[in-house]
Amino acid sequence: MASGKTITVAIMDAPYESANSTTALRIVQSALQKGHNVTVFAYEGAVNLTMKAQAPHPNPVKGTNVEQEAHPTTKDWVSSLFKLAKDKGAKLDWVNCGLCVDERGAGDWVEGPRRGGPKDFLDASNASNATLVIPTK
Amino acid sequence: MASGKTITVAIMDAPYESANSTTALRIVQSALQKGHNVTVFAYEGAVNLTMKAQAPHPNPVKGTNVEQEAHPTTKDWVSSLFKLAKDKGAKLDWVNCGLCVDERGAGDWVEGPRRGGPKDFLDASNASNATLVIPTK
Amino acid sequence: MAKILNIVETAYRGTLEEQDDTVLWLTHMLKNAGADISVLLRANAVNYAVKGQDASGLQFGDAKMTHPPEIDKDVEKMIEKGVSIYIVEEDAQERGLTDDDLLRGLRRIRRQGIPQLIDEHEQVWHW
Amino acid sequence: MAKILNIVETAYRGTLEEQDDTVLWLTHMLKNAGADISVLLRANAVNYAVKGQDASGLQFGDAKMTHPPEIDKDVEKMIEKGVSIYIVEEDAQERGLTDDDLLRGLRRIRRQGIPQLIDEHEQVWHW
Amino acid sequence: MAKYLIIESRDPFDSADSEYFAELVQGIAKRGNETTIFFIQNGVLPARKGSKYNRVIADLVKGKVKVMADRFSLNERGIRQLADGIETADTDRLVDLLLEPGTKAIWH
Amino acid sequence: MAKYLIIESRDPFDSADSEYFAELVQGIAKRGNETTIFFIQNGVLPARKGSKYNRVIADLVKGKVKVMADRFSLNERGIRQLADGIETADTDRLVDLLLEPGTKAIWH
């Protein structure tokens, strides 16, 4: 059930590069599960998390094919989180930083996220009960 | 003039995220300028360096438009290095790790690079005068 | 409106390709959007306050980098706009920086003063 | 053919999304391609040799992670394939690791022995 | 007085900033703030019993800082025995702490 | 005897591994190898005259390690005065060093 509370999370890491991305998605998962609204501000490399062209691959080291390997893609994780929000009656607002998207060519993304900028992050933070910035190194 | 010598460089960092990427391209530039052949093995996030969809953006902090800002894209830098190789009669062989490309959706790239895998890196290293691995943190 | 402290620690990460530091840039954008925001430069990021940083001269093939980052100027512009830029004295000293090396208009703070500075802000974002 | 030493230092970087460590995976691929390759686990990467690493249980919405990384098993498989896996003893001790915590078949090396190990290989790749 | 939730993802084996950061957390707690440090990712590495940095954790506990460690990150690294004074927790708990009124969250 | 080209992109202010790495480089040189350390990116930060880590550089020089620093990285950080014993160089020079026969290149 929706709690009416909102958390804003800023993330910066590109997919597959850092433990931060998975932790951020775990936190979003926990928050939505509890019925909280979540705004994600995806800055810099994090705009690549939602790219539609991501595809799972086989693993030649293990000799597995694509189905056996069940390689996750971050776009699928994000899509599942949007579905979870809907099921819980909570809102997931995922903002991809527009200029970061342009320089990376990351503009074709799965259903859910929207294009925005730093002001969206500020507005979300001011309207939130808590803000967490997860920086990169 | 072509020197007949070859350097192999492995890189891992995503564009716009690390000083490593620029340094790697500086090294490639210096090597080609001296007429050496270069093989680049782009592993993990580095496969995003060559994405065709990258576009320069304006800078609202400075109030510049796209032309005034002259924002570089890594794909343009790589394209210029291919042209430099041609001018010098040297070979630039840029290998994008295929499975890394798939999971990132980075398969649409500028003219020049080819798809490959770890064996290409090994073969290139064995056939090179020097190999440099530039890892990420 | 919340008072925000942006703590910048990581330095020169992707600045050449970005033509700036992405967190300073974000801070500037937030200030322009009306935020009550200050910056604490600590660890290697104290070097962002050094005068005369010069990242010019890069060239890849025939692609010249005509607009390199000018981080010292970016910091100066933020000071002019009224953003308080704090710098940790011990961190500057350890890196061999003297007052002559640093920009004017910075606010010096000792390490032991950081907890109070943090207490004085409602939002503390450590980048 | 060149003798290669892959030095692995960075640990648990993107391993959840990758389902493995990308440098160990690369090493395995190079071995399969015929490389004469050894691995030195140092710094935090000594933890890759710990028995019973368990990254199971992640779920995002209805997307369950059915194949989490099993880095201990990946190291074991490389040992079975004849890849020498060296581990720096002091680095393991500092992290509170005892012999009971670690996989079998590892080659222990002291820090002061690393320069010689490096000398014995023609290619040394520090990841 | 405020509440602080410090999320420590770095470890002193790798990061030269980590020990200083523990001092900063102590400084925050000494001002009378209710302070929690939550180890996650490689940040849990010093928490293994017998690690060189157990003393840093002991100092935090002595300084009235609540010390937590992410259970998933511990399991992922095969850390079974913890230094004294550490409570294991998960991201559900982390979200609850984040939402306690008056909490400032700082990631390191 | 081999030649080693160690490219140091990290700095001891940030990386807990940096000082140990300097010791490793000394160990390599002590085995009679012709050893060069090339500071680049933030790796040049200890090279500023007056920095806390000038002594690490002095030890390397004393240990017969050739110490170089990337001119671009120095300018980028506004480092004008260098600790003793450091030669400035660029990536052209780095490529020449890489291609000297029998050279093993290690990036850190």
Side-chain angles (χ1 to χ4, degrees), chain E residues 83-98:
Chain E
D84 295 338
I86 302 173
E87 182 183 337
T88 57
D90 54 21
T91 50
D92 285 357
R93 183 72 185 279
L94 186 64
V95 166
D96 290 345
L97 290 168
L98 258 176

Side-chain angles (χ1 to χ4, degrees), chain D residues 17-123:
Chain D
E17 286 152 40
E18 294 286 7
Q19 300 175 303
D20 53 36
D21 174 84
T22 58
V23 178
L24 292 185
W25 183 86
L26 183 78
T27 307
H28 211 141
M29 287 292 284
L30 296 177
K31 176 72 179 176
N32 288 353
D36 181 358
I37 194 161
S38 300
V39 170
L40 172 64
L41 298 175
R42 63 170 298 266
N44 283 344
V46 296
N47 205 84
Y48 280 173
V50 170
K51 286 187 284 195
Q53 298 173 58
D54 177 8
S56 66
L58 284 190
Q59 180 164 357
F60 303 98
D62 51 14
K64 280 189 189 152
M65 189 157 180
T66 50
H67 291 54
E70 301 183 308
I71 297 179
D72 46 356
K73 295 201 174 59
D74 292 343
V75 172
E76 269 181 337
K77 271 179 216 150
M78 288 167 63
I79 293 173
E80 280 166 25
K81 279 218 174 133
V83 177
S84 294
I85 310 272
Y86 296 89
I87 182 169
V88 181
E89 286 190 324
E90 292 96 325
D91 293 355
Q93 281 158 11
E94 285 182 357
R95 285 160 186 80
L97 295 171
T98 62
D99 279 358
D100 282 351
D101 294 313
L102 298 172
L103 297 171
R104 300 184 65 163
L106 302 166
R107 299 186 173 210
R108 264 90 172 153
I109 185 170
R110 306 285 300 174
R111 274 186 192 157
Q112 62 181 29
I114 299 175
Q116 182 180 337
L117 187 70
I118 285 175
D119 261 356
E120 289 164 1
H121 292 80
E122 282 105 57
Q123 292 283 350

Side-chain angles (χ1 to χ4, degrees), chain E residues 19-64:
Chain E
E19 281 201 83
Y20 162 68
F21 205 75
E23 280 170 38
L24 177 63
V25 172
Q26 297 240 27
I28 289 171
K30 268 188 199 132
R31 291 176 59 81
N33 296 300
E34 199 178 313
T35 309
T36 300
I37 191 164
F38 194 108
F39 294 124
I40 200 162
Q41 301 171 189
N42 281 346
V44 303
L45 286 173
R48 182 187 273 120
K49 202 173 188 82
S51 111
K52 185 180 165 188
Y53 293 102
N54 282 179
R55 62 166 177 78
V56 177
I57 293 169
D59 286 349
L60 287 166
V61 172
K62 219 168 74 181
K64 304 258 189 294

Side-chain angles (χ1 to χ4, degrees), chain A residues 50-70:
Chain A
T50 50
M51 281 188 70
K52 203 189 276 179
Q54 291 180 0
H57 60 64
N59 189 340
V61 156
K62 293 189 190 161
T64 50
N65 64 25
V66 171
E67 287 71 33
Q68 292 162 336
E69 181 68 6

Side-chain angles (χ1 to χ4, degrees), chain E residues 11-20, chain F residues 11-17 53:
Chain E
D11 67 273
F13 298 106
D14 179 64
S15 168
D17 203 49
S18 191
E19 281 201 83
Y20 162 68
Chain F
D11 67 274
F13 297 107
D14 179 65
S15 168
D17 202 49
Y53 292 103

Side-chain angles (χ1 to χ4, degrees), chain A residues 17-67:
Chain A
E17 304 295 337
S18 161
N20 287 356
S21 327
T22 314
T23 300
L25 296 182
R26 286 176 62 205
I27 291 170
V28 174
Q29 156 81 22
S30 287
L32 292 174
Q33 188 69 40
K34 287 168 181 277
H36 306 314
N37 305 312
V38 179
T39 300
V40 174
F41 179 60
Y43 190 50
E44 300 305 337
V47 300
N48 285 97
L49 286 162
T50 50
M51 281 188 70
K52 203 189 276 179
Q54 291 180 0
H57 60 64
N59 189 340
V61 156
K62 293 189 190 161
T64 50
N65 64 25
V66 171
E67 287 71 33

